Each structure stands twice: as C-alpha cells, then as structure tokens.
Amino acid sequence: MADVYRWRLAPDGLATRRQLRALGLRPGGQDVVAEVHRPRRRRGPLVAYLYRIEHAKPVRPMTPGRAAALAAAMLARRTCPNCRTDVGYCIPRSLGMCVPCHDTPAPCEGNRCVFA
C-alpha cells in the first residue's frame, strides 16, 4: 500500500502528474509511491497520486503524426453536428451541439423536428 499524506504535507522529491508535466517530465511507467488526501466537508477526500521525481522520464517529443492526430481530434470537438461549422470552441457534451443551434428552436414538420 502506498503512503498517505495529508494535503500540502507530502515530502520533497514527490510530485503529481501535473507537477511532473510542468517540469517537462512524465511518470515513465513507475508505480505510485504515495497519495495525497485533501479533505472535503461532505464527501470523501480528493486523492492525488504521487511519483518520484528522480525516476521520472522526459516527456516524449511531439511528432508530426501525433500533431496531426491531435489537430483532427480537436477539430472534431469544435465542429457542430447540426450546422457542420467549426464554432471555435469545444462543444459542450451536455448540449451536443453549438450554443446557437441549441438556443434556436428547430422548425417542425408534422411530428418531427428538422435540423439544418
């Protein structure tokens, strides 16, 4: 079982994934060595996993293929399925379409609504 520390009381030499990323590092396949628990009032504590900084590896460089795949994925997240336009922001999953399409009522023909 990994060691458990309270919020802000973890020893030096340990970092979360985000802290490693800010240093230009990644866990590199190492196991979690500790956890940090941040207490909350009415729910269970927030948990962050800690890794050893000295065992971390450098972040892999971005290749042209990975950059193209990331660009295509982000374009898909920004494209509205109704109006098929790039709206310039990631479409909220709760809406499933861009805000103008969501706020504009669809014209109805008989019993079914028709989207553009």
Side-chain angles (χ1 to χ4, degrees), residues 72-91 96-98:
M74 292 307 294
L75 178 63
R77 290 184 65 192
R78 292 189 315 262
T79 303
C80 177
N82 288 343
C83 60
R84 303 278 187 218
T85 58
D86 181 355
V87 293
Y89 57 87
C90 288
I91 295 173
M97 61 187 76
C98 66

Side-chain angles (χ1 to χ4, degrees), residues 26-45:
R26 62 186 168 97
Q30 64 175 304
D31 292 329
V32 173
V33 295
E35 295 178 357
V36 174
H37 287 210
R38 181 177 181 202
R40 298 190 288 180
R41 290 180 188 246
R42 295 191 175 109
R43 294 180 286 187

Side-chain angles (χ1 to χ4, degrees), residues 6-60:
R6 288 187 52 82
W7 185 247
R8 298 184 188 264
L9 296 178
D12 292 336
L14 301 179
T16 63
R17 282 182 179 268
R18 285 189 181 190
Q19 291 168 338
L20 287 175
R21 188 64 182 212
L23 296 172
L25 302 171
R26 62 186 168 97
Q30 64 175 304
D31 292 329
V32 173
V33 295
E35 295 178 357
V36 174
H37 287 210
R38 181 177 181 202
R40 298 190 288 180
R41 290 180 188 246
R42 295 191 175 109
R43 294 180 286 187
L46 290 175
V47 178
Y49 300 112
L50 300 175
Y51 303 90
R52 293 194 186 283
I53 295 175
E54 66 267 11
H55 295 155
K57 296 180 180 176
V59 174
R60 294 182 188 125

